[in-house]
Amino acid sequence: MIGGTFNPNATCAASCDRAAFLNAFFGPSATLSCSIPQSCKYFYLYTARDDSLKYHVSIDAGRAKSTGPLKTTDRGDIATA
């Protein structure tokens, strides 16, 4: 999120799309960082300690390219088989 101020008491109309949510909860000056190339990045690492699992790690990552949609990468698996 770029700009705006979070209002934890805000509400959104019944038709609450992304633009309406941003405006309601962050104000009209807020911009979703994923709308700006190269500014949207995330990395989630999931781990499990259960010894019965064959795989213990899963990674979900993404970043915005200079043009085009967000590119995501998923690796690993937390599973029993």
Side-chain angles (χ1 to χ4, degrees):
M1 186 64 52
I2 299 170
T5 302
F6 178 62
N7 177 0
N9 300 314
T11 59
C12 196
S15 175
C16 189
D17 62 8
R18 181 181 293 161
F21 175 83
L22 290 175
N23 189 46
F25 284 85
F26 293 93
S29 65
T31 303
L32 182 63
S33 60
C34 290
S35 299
I36 302 169
Q38 294 294 332
S39 65
C40 183
K41 297 177 183 176
Y42 67 90
F43 180 86
Y44 297 107
L45 174 64
Y46 305 94
T47 61
R49 295 182 185 166
D50 185 343
D51 289 334
S52 68
L53 296 174
K54 182 174 182 178
Y55 304 105
H56 296 267
V57 177
S58 182
I59 296 171
D60 180 13
R63 66 180 176 83
K65 300 184 290 186
S66 59
T67 59
L70 187 69
K71 177 175 173 41
T72 61
T73 304
D74 300 312
R75 293 189 183 123
D77 188 14
I78 296 176
T80 56

